[in-house]
Amino acid sequence: LDPYRRKVSAFTLVELLVVIGIIALLVSILLPSLGAARRSARSVKCLSSLRQLGNAFAMYSQEHRGYWPVAVHGNTVKFPVALRNGLADEIRWPDLIAPYITSKKDMAYDEVYKVRQNSVLWGCPEYSAATEQSDAAFASKVRPGYGMNYYLTDTGPNKYAYINTALSDDPTQAGRYYKQTEWTKPTERALIADTLTHVLSNPSTIASTNTWYPVLPGEAATPYFLVDGNRHGPAGNSRRKQYEAPYMNMLFCDLHASVVSVRDTYNAIHSPGQNTAGN
């Protein structure tokens, strides 16, 4: 026998299974933490993008005698020639601030998708609905993943930064451009938030039993409140949790950004500084 030959030990099947079980257990423990860390990092990036959008609003204001963009300037109303060179298509807030955060100086409302890869105008990494990934889809061309609030004051009567009589909540007010100083309660009023559409809708009532995006099993196909209530939250969050816990981002009218809940968002649109949302 070779005196230098050593006995080689090997794992038994039971030992291998134990090791595999331990690894599987560690992975199951770590994955949720890693997922939460990833969501948190993306939420921070989204907040940074919102602050930069706020800077674009400020720069627009400086070049337009203190006026802010409107959420929508519909093509049923004559455009100011200085804003759009007489083009007949609709103007939306992303088009108006695009010169301050993109290389496009005259962007049409259906060209938002062209800045998807290189502008904070499309700045939320969690905005990944299926239609937004296709350049051929109309929704992808016009929606950057953020929506603008167009209510300057508390309800009754409203003032609208939304120029299109047919779509206004109050047909007696066609809307106009307003100065930044005319937006009341700026520290508590929403300006831009995570949403599916280009504007922040304002339902007359809200509660945790209503529907918003993402739609959960058994809910109506069309959300009642078109905010993205769980954009930065874990999959499977209950409707109640989305309603109460902060899982979406918002830029306020004083240009600070914060993480908010669906309830917070409703109040920041409908009744800033108050809690008029339901349970």
Side-chain angles (χ1 to χ4, degrees), residues 216-240:
L216 299 181
E219 291 185 333
T222 302
Y224 176 72
F225 192 19
L226 292 175
V227 295
D228 199 347
N230 199 46
R231 179 171 292 182
H232 300 289
N237 261 346
S238 68
R239 186 61 68 208
R240 166 66 68 175

Side-chain angles (χ1 to χ4, degrees), residues 8-79:
V8 178
S9 61
F11 287 111
T12 66
L13 178 59
V14 173
E15 290 172 329
L16 286 174
L17 291 175
V18 170
V19 171
I20 292 172
I22 292 173
I23 293 174
L25 178 62
L26 291 174
V27 168
S28 66
I29 293 172
L30 291 174
L31 277 181
S33 299
L34 292 174
R38 182 170 60 250
R39 288 192 302 272
S40 178
R42 290 177 175 174
S43 178
V44 170
K45 184 178 184 298
C46 180
L47 286 171
S48 175
S49 296
L50 283 171
R51 294 185 187 99
Q52 292 180 64
L53 291 179
N55 291 337
F57 268 77
M59 288 186 284
Y60 178 97
S61 174
Q62 291 170 4
E63 291 193 4
H64 292 85
R65 296 177 296 127
Y67 287 91
W68 261 1
V70 289
V72 173
H73 194 147
N75 57 15
T76 60
V77 185
K78 185 178 179 181
F79 296 143

Side-chain angles (χ1 to χ4, degrees), residues 36-179:
R38 182 170 60 250
R39 288 192 302 272
S40 178
R42 290 177 175 174
S43 178
V44 170
K45 184 178 184 298
C46 180
L47 286 171
S48 175
S49 296
L50 283 171
R51 294 185 187 99
Q52 292 180 64
L53 291 179
N55 291 337
F57 268 77
M59 288 186 284
Y60 178 97
S61 174
Q62 291 170 4
E63 291 193 4
H64 292 85
R65 296 177 296 127
Y67 287 91
W68 261 1
V70 289
V72 173
H73 194 147
N75 57 15
T76 60
V77 185
K78 185 178 179 181
F79 296 143
V81 175
L83 283 177
R84 207 52 184 290
N85 300 320
L87 297 180
D89 55 337
E90 185 172 273
I91 298 174
R92 297 179 179 179
W93 66 269
D95 321 335
L96 296 174
I97 66 171
Y100 308 98
I101 48 176
T102 76
S103 59
K104 296 185 71 63
K105 301 305 178 185
D106 192 18
M107 187 175 76
Y109 84 110
D110 59 354
E111 293 181 329
V112 176
Y113 73 102
K114 293 184 178 180
V115 300
R116 180 185 300 142
Q117 301 300 327
N118 55 8
S119 172
V120 295
L121 192 55
W122 197 296
C124 183
E126 293 289 358
Y127 182 52
S128 57
T131 54
E132 276 69 57
Q133 304 310 307
S134 171
D135 290 349
F138 181 74
S140 174
K141 293 182 178 182
V142 299
R143 297 173 181 173
Y146 298 120
M148 179 181 169
N149 177 27
Y150 52 89
Y151 295 90
L152 281 76
T153 65
D154 297 352
T155 54
N158 283 317
K159 292 182 179 179
Y160 303 100
Y162 193 131
I163 306 177
N164 191 331
T165 305
L167 296 180
S168 175
D169 290 358
D170 182 352
T172 66
Q173 300 192 42
R176 65 175 176 85
Y177 290 82
Y178 290 88
K179 289 189 175 182

